[in-house]
Amino acid sequence: MSETALIHSFQARQLWHDAGWRGDVAFAVDDRGRITQAQGGTPQYLDGWVLPGMPNLHSHAFQRAMAGLAERRGPSDDSFWTWRETMYAFAACIDPDTLQAIAAQLYVEMLKAGYTQVCEFHYLHHRPDATPYAQPEAMSLALIEAAREAGIALTLLPVLYMSGGFDGRPLSPRQRRFGHDVDSYLRLLTTLRKLESEDLRVGVALHSLRAIPEQAWRGVVEHDALKTGPVHIHIAEQIGEVQDCLATRGARPVEWLFDHASIDKRWCLVHATHLTESETAQIARSGAVAGLCPTTEANLGDGLFPLARYLDANGVIGIGSDSHISISPVEELRWLEYGQRLNTRHRNVAARHAGESVGETLWRAALRGGAQAADLPIGTLGEGARADLIVLDQDSPLLAARDSRSAMDSFLFAGNAPMVRNVMAGGKWVVRDFQHRDEARIAARYRSAVERLART
Ligand code: NGQ
Ligand code: ZN
């Protein structure tokens, strides 16, 4: 076979670039699933709005199967902390096969919704009794396999989780299966890094400041293993966490973090909800990504991120679906904007300059920040990038009579039925006419897995 036979050519009626929509754009995809300048045969015409797929920078896959199971009021005032107890009880029932079944279903749903990459913030490492699996990386492998089945790019972030509170207290019985000492964690990281490929990046996650004892901190953040690749951490999500940090460490979480690590573009600060003005400016200046998860933050009653101030300081944002109460970049971005509108009683908050579109501003920002947090060549359809794209449904009545000034806002604000019709991930059509290539089998396996869980 000649080399050109492996190049697939496309012609898009409208293609999204960082600078906006462009009409009648030709592009090609090579056999590695990357965008190439080279030319292939007759182009396939994409008769719709074509956008780079969205990276999902924060996921705890197993939590998808408990979506909707924590919405009934308990005996006391419900909060993030009571939700966490429900989540821990649920986490105790997940084994590698169940995790793979849940994650594959989740990743299929992500692709159908327009996410073409996911960062897994993965801490469910050991058996429920906290002993390691025969293969200590068994749970990580379940996630890798699920991503392969679904066809989504994965940034796996094995989580270091050492203590159960800011005072360095030991993990509670239900947290013990998450735990590592630094050496066993580094062994896991080394094993997983050997598996890196075009579709799999391995980074580092520190669960939170409260999960790393103060005396272990320096050894961890200064370790060579953290000198390259992405580093993600949960931070300042709840007021209780800010108060505990002040009480035990004499500083607010973001303040403490910046005083005890060199925070730069490799870092993703997940949630970063409760910030002072100077913390907001500091994150923006550092170039780190603020990993926003608006539907989860709403569901858990976290609070609202200071979006306007942060964007004015040129802060980098990305979005994640976190607890997976909702799987849709559209809904994340819509909630991000609507939270700000409800809070400020103004409109078009994310658009900081007259004439700017909210939808375009947010999609563009989340592509850029998501790609940075994922540390993969994604988020653009430029030369060498992964061919990760979504094609909107040209038959959707909501897109009728829309032009390049209005299409993105109609996509993000007007749709209830999904408008994502076709999805290419790594150069392969994984979703065609709203159907994932393997959705029936993956859904059937998911159904039996959750039915099994419901009986335990
Ligand atoms: C998690 N989720 O690790 O899944 C956390 C809850 C914690 C969110 N923070 C546990 N949304 O923060 O301790
Ligand atoms: Zn999280």
Side-chain angles (χ1 to χ4, degrees):
M1 213 188 303
S2 80
E3 244 177 59
T4 48
L6 298 172
I7 307 284
H8 297 276
S9 295
F10 300 90
Q11 175 90 13
R13 188 163 60 74
Q14 290 284 345
L15 186 74
W16 175 259
H17 283 262
D18 203 48
W21 292 108
R22 285 191 206 149
D24 279 321
V25 182
F27 64 94
V29 177
D30 67 18
D31 59 340
R32 294 161 55 230
R34 300 291 178 110
I35 303 289
T36 173
Q37 293 284 325
Q39 293 300 307
T42 321
Q44 183 184 348
Y45 189 63
L46 305 177
D47 182 23
W49 302 90
V50 181
L51 301 83
M54 183 58 70
N56 186 333
L57 59 61
H58 194 66
S59 163
H60 309 287
F62 75 92
Q63 292 177 16
R64 178 53 170 168
M66 68 167 275
L69 297 183
E71 310 298 325
R72 186 177 293 273
R73 189 167 176 145
S76 60
D77 213 10
D78 284 335
S79 69
F80 173 88
W81 307 102
T82 58
W83 169 84
R84 195 172 80 153
E85 288 310 312
T86 310
M87 184 273 278
Y88 283 172
F90 190 80
C93 305
I94 309 290
D95 63 15
D97 286 346
T98 313
L99 182 59
Q100 185 176 333
I102 296 170
Q105 171 67 18
L106 170 68
Y107 298 158
V108 165
E109 289 174 32
M110 283 187 191
L111 287 162
K112 291 172 74 170
Y115 291 117
T116 45
Q117 183 278 346
V118 58
C119 296
E120 261 304 320
F121 196 104
H122 165 57
Y123 57 84
L124 221 50
H125 298 301
H126 310 305
R127 291 195 169 93
D129 69 1
T131 58
Y133 286 100
Q135 206 173 8
E137 68 278 20
M139 292 292 259
S140 299
L141 296 179
L143 292 168
I144 293 171
E145 196 47 31
R148 196 196 54 75
E149 286 182 85
I152 197 167
L154 173 65
T155 299
L156 182 62
L157 305 160
V159 174
L160 177 60
Y161 205 132
M162 299 173 74
S163 57
F166 279 100
D167 52 8
R169 81 186 74 150
L171 300 174
S172 70
R174 275 179 165 159
Q175 294 171 327
R176 283 179 52 227
R177 74 179 299 199
F178 316 154
H180 278 105
D181 56 33
V182 176
D183 286 343
S184 61
Y185 175 75
L186 293 172
R187 279 199 297 279
L188 173 66
L189 196 58
T190 307
T191 306
L192 295 176
R193 282 193 163 153
K194 290 194 186 119
L195 304 176
E196 281 191 318
S197 69
E198 301 251 310
D199 306 313
L200 173 66
R201 181 85 174 102
V202 176
V204 165
L206 309 176
H207 182 273
S208 49
L209 294 182
R210 60 195 138 80
I212 314 288
E214 203 170 351
Q215 66 279 15
W217 178 265
R218 194 157 294 280
V220 169
V221 290
E222 288 179 1
H223 197 281
D224 279 348
L226 270 75
K227 296 247 160 77
T228 56
V231 184
H232 291 219
I233 186 169
H234 287 130
I235 195 128
E237 179 182 11
Q238 281 282 320
I239 297 280
E241 179 193 338
V242 177
Q243 287 166 342
D244 283 356
C245 192
L246 273 166
T248 54
R249 301 193 184 176
R252 300 167 54 83
V254 169
E255 218 181 348
W256 193 92
L257 179 69
F258 275 82
D259 283 347
H260 292 84
S262 24
I263 305 299
D264 59 18
K265 288 163 63 94
R266 292 192 299 120
W267 286 72
C268 176
L269 310 190
V270 180
H271 307 302
T273 309
H274 299 287
L275 304 177
T276 62
E277 281 187 35
S278 74
E279 288 170 327
T280 309
Q282 200 167 23
I283 299 176
R285 250 196 326 273
S286 73
V289 184
L292 308 178
C293 309
T295 63
T296 293
E297 289 154 9
N299 185 268
L300 298 180
D302 288 340
L304 289 168
F305 178 79
L307 185 69
R309 184 173 295 137
Y310 185 74
L311 291 180
D312 285 343
N314 295 315
V316 181
I317 60 162
I319 51 163
S321 57
D322 190 355
S323 69
H324 310 306
I325 195 68
S326 166
I327 312 295
S328 158
V330 166
E331 209 182 350
E332 294 308 330
L333 294 174
R334 198 184 286 179
W335 268 97
L336 178 58
E337 170 68 18
Y338 281 173
Q340 305 294 318
R341 292 190 192 186
L342 289 164
N343 198 36
T344 61
R345 287 173 265 138
H346 282 80
R347 299 191 69 252
N348 300 338
V349 178
R352 304 306 298 151
H353 306 283
E356 275 176 10
S357 136
V358 173
E360 292 180 3
T361 302
L362 289 176
W363 193 269
R364 177 189 290 123
L367 282 178
R368 207 188 280 167
Q372 187 179 316
D375 199 27
L376 285 165
I378 55 178
T380 75
L381 293 170
E383 172 79 17
R386 271 178 63 93
D388 283 353
L389 59 86
I390 66 182
V391 186
L392 302 187
D393 179 18
Q394 73 273 18
D395 296 336
S396 168
L398 290 161
L399 292 174
R402 293 298 181 266
D403 61 15
S404 59
R405 276 182 64 76
S406 52
M408 188 74 99
D409 288 323
S410 291
F411 170 42
L412 288 192
F413 288 100
N416 294 109
M419 284 191 211
V420 176
R421 180 164 181 161
N422 297 303
V423 179
M424 178 185 286
K428 298 198 178 77
W429 289 113
V430 290
V431 175
R432 277 203 181 114
D433 282 333
F434 306 102
Q435 298 275 309
H436 182 274
R437 62 180 185 198
D438 202 10
E439 67 173 62
R441 181 188 69 86
I442 289 172
R445 187 182 58 182
Y446 173 81
R447 214 169 267 122
S448 14
V450 290
E451 279 163 4
R452 215 165 42 238
L453 279 179
R455 288 195 297 270
T456 54

